[in-house]
Amino acid sequence: MKLVLLGPPGSGKGTHAMWMCGEYKIPHISTGAMLREEERRNPHLYEEIRHYIDRGELVPDELIFEILKERLAESDCRDGYILDGFPRTLKQAEMLEALGGVDLAVMIDTMPELIMERVRGRRVCPRCGKGYHISQIPDGKCTDCGAEVTIRSDDKPETIRNRFDVYDRVTHPLVEHYKNEGKLARIDGSGTIEEVAAEIRALLNGGV
Ligand code: AMP
């Protein structure tokens, strides 16, 4: 099952991909997390891409594609994958076709007010990368490794505005693209995590 999760920042793509990868036994591939990983793995490359991320801009298609291509060639992707944050442009969607394509694109529809609240409360563990909403961790510590959670540099208010703008202009047209391909499913993402998860299960267990 080759899945793409679509939706603006804060729509819950990462949250749902986390349980889906365990349940459907296919890897969760977040290009944003892979880019953030580069800060530790390859600081030289990260210096090149940091200014895009910190301003809420997209990194160049070719660069992200090289990173994704390597990841999709790994053996755990043989039976499928859940892409979170890729594709983000029509060009990336075309590039993905060349690598194995997509069975279904799941758009998580969420109201803008809800998204802002989620993004404002979003925290990430700088050590292991696990994501939280601040209301889940009153002591501000990662429940897996105990590190003090932080606000992602691109979740600051001035950057987040630009990320929404980039989403509307460049990424949202992918919804129409997958609709035209007959591969789009829409999920109401405004419920609780459990409610949205139940919708996703009903969709996927109904047969892709
Ligand atoms: P995310 O964690 O998916 O919100 O991504 C964080 C940031 O990483 C984005 O705002 C972009 O700067 C960059 N990024 C992640 N995925 C992509 C992609 N597919 N294409 C271009 N830039 C990306």
Side-chain angles (χ1 to χ4, degrees):
M1 186 160 54
K2 294 169 182 166
L3 294 176
V4 164
L5 297 181
L6 292 176
S11 56
K13 301 186 296 294
T15 301
H16 292 290
M18 257 177 344
W19 66 261
M20 289 167 72
C21 65
E23 204 160 303
Y24 297 102
K25 310 268 184 295
I26 45 177
H28 166 202
I29 300 176
S30 156
T31 45
M34 287 171 81
L35 290 172
R36 287 186 288 279
E37 262 288 282
E38 295 295 337
E39 185 167 14
R40 202 172 44 77
R41 278 188 8 165
N42 188 348
H44 188 67
L45 172 68
Y46 196 75
E47 269 319 300
E48 267 180 54
I49 57 182
R50 145 169 285 142
H51 69 281
Y52 294 106
I53 296 178
D54 287 352
R55 287 192 320 226
E57 300 289 338
L58 297 183
V59 307
D61 288 334
E62 285 69 23
L63 194 151
I64 192 79
F65 184 66
E66 282 309 311
I67 293 176
L68 184 77
K69 190 160 103 184
E70 252 182 52
R71 179 66 188 88
L72 293 189
E74 288 177 29
S75 59
D76 63 336
C77 295
R78 231 184 358 241
D79 297 330
Y81 35 77
I82 303 165
L83 294 179
D84 157 13
F86 190 98
R88 265 181 155 97
T89 64
L90 286 167
K91 175 96 183 287
Q92 290 181 12
E94 280 167 23
M95 289 168 150
L96 180 59
E97 283 309 307
L99 288 185
V102 174
D103 297 318
L104 188 70
V106 180
M107 168 68 189
I108 308 182
D109 278 317
T110 318
M111 287 181 304
E113 313 82 73
L114 206 67
I115 286 184
M116 279 318 286
E117 202 282 314
R118 286 181 187 167
V119 173
R120 276 200 209 102
R122 189 148 74 173
R123 300 292 183 274
V124 65
C125 172
R127 201 183 292 158
C128 71
K130 188 165 180 194
Y132 298 92
H133 188 273
I134 188 66
S135 59
Q136 299 170 304
I137 40 164
D139 65 352
K141 298 237 170 27
C142 175
T143 55
D144 280 2
C145 73
E148 190 103 15
V149 298
T150 54
I151 300 180
R152 264 167 54 173
S153 60
D154 59 346
D155 273 346
K156 306 238 161 73
E158 56 285 8
T159 313
I160 198 74
R161 267 193 297 278
N162 196 35
R163 291 175 65 205
F164 282 120
D165 182 51
V166 169
Y167 174 82
D168 284 341
R169 280 188 295 109
V170 188
T171 306
H172 191 71
L174 287 172
V175 173
E176 200 57 30
H177 168 77
Y178 284 114
K179 189 172 166 198
N180 292 339
E181 301 255 304
K183 290 182 175 170
L184 182 75
R186 302 186 91 113
I187 290 289
D188 176 7
S190 54
T192 62
I193 293 178
E194 291 72 26
E195 285 164 350
V196 179
E199 268 202 68
I200 295 176
R201 272 193 198 97
L203 170 76
L204 299 183
N205 300 350
V208 175

